């Protein structure tokens, strides 16, 4: 379970994330959507423990990300917007290294062939990460997130740069991950995808959480029956820009 309580992140005097609170339960996919600069990546980096929040708390399975880092991170998989990979390892070595860091080599042994096949990386297994294309790097980043026993997934624009077959596979993977009981937060600008994939969405703008709920609940709440998530999003975010 992921719980975010009053999260604030300031860059000098600029408040990029402003009192954001929400919870994601096991078995839920939640979409994080918002215009450019809304604070989505900053919030996710705070949740992943990469940035230290100015204030607020982030609990991963009950463990606070900064106070109890090792325990919190054991349950966490973070796929950043721009994959940060070890360039001089091969694809195989990279996945194995991540599994070693999380002490989950048996999972790696059992799953890596299947993951490499599923993400069309099998013929690249002995190639250096530095030689991979953008989309392949993204796929490797996702595959690495699946070789440890995470049950909280933070995916920052995971579909950007992936080809249609890879994107289709990744969406199915996200659903499988949810069905296995994980809590998944996925940021995206693809509102059609968010509408189909997510159980709920969080709409952020200018650092604040503007709205939260299933698409059906948002339509009802804002009197926009029959309209798409895109319509609801544009109507809400236009008011604050
Ligand atoms: P996008 O959809 O464009 O990826 P986002 O919602 O992920 O946007 P962030 O990257 O979190 O937005 O940025 C939120 C705000 O914080 C922006 O105004 C951005 O310029 C600012 N910001 C981000 N990183 C820094 C930094 N390191 N120093 C100062 N300001 C920053």
């Amino acid at each position: 379970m992921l719980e975010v309580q009053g999260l604030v992140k300031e860059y000098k005097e600029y408040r990029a994330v402003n009192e954001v609170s929400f919870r994601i339960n096991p078995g839920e996919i939640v979409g994080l959507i918002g215009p450019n600069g809304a604070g989505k990546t900053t919030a996710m980096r705070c949740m992943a423990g990469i940035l230290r929040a100015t204030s607020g708390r982030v609990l991963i399975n009950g463990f606070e990300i900064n106070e109890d880092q090792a325990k919190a991170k054991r349950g966490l998989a973070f796929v950043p917007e721009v994959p940060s990979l070890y360039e001089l390892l091969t694809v195989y070595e990279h996945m194995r290294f991540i599994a070693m860091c999380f002490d989950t080599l048996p999972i790696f042994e059992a799953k890596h062939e299947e993951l490499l096949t599923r993400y069309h990386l099998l013929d690249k297994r002995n190639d250096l990460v530095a030689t991979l294309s953008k989309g392949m790097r993204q796929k490797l980043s996702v595959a690495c997130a699946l070789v440890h026993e995470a049950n909280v997934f933070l995916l920052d624009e995971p579909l950007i740069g992936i080809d249609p077959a890879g994107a289709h596979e990744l969406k199915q993977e996200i659903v499988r991950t949810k069905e296995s009981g994980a809590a998944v937060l996925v940021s995206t600008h693809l509102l059609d995808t968010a509408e189909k994939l997510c159980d709920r969405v969080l709409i952020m703008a200018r650092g604040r959480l503007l709205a939260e709920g299933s698409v059906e609940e948002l339509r009802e709440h804002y009197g926009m029956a029959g309209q798409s998530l895109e319509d609801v999003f544009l109507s809400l975010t236009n008011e604050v820009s």
Side-chain angles (χ1 to χ4, degrees), residues 49-67:
I50 292 166
L51 280 178
R52 190 170 269 272
T54 305
S55 58
R57 282 161 65 78
V58 175
L59 300 162
I60 312 283
N61 300 319
F63 300 110
E64 212 287 328
I65 191 71
N66 295 306
E67 291 162 11

Side-chain angles (χ1 to χ4, degrees), residues 170-200:
L170 181 52
K171 284 185 260 181
Q172 288 185 327
E173 188 72 58
I174 294 172
V175 171
R176 278 195 291 270
T177 304
K178 155 200 157 130
E179 285 169 354
S180 73
V184 184
L185 179 66
V186 52
S187 82
T188 183
H189 289 296
L190 307 173
L191 300 185
D192 287 354
T193 299
E195 187 161 358
K196 286 186 200 130
L197 189 66
C198 300
D199 300 298
R200 283 189 292 134

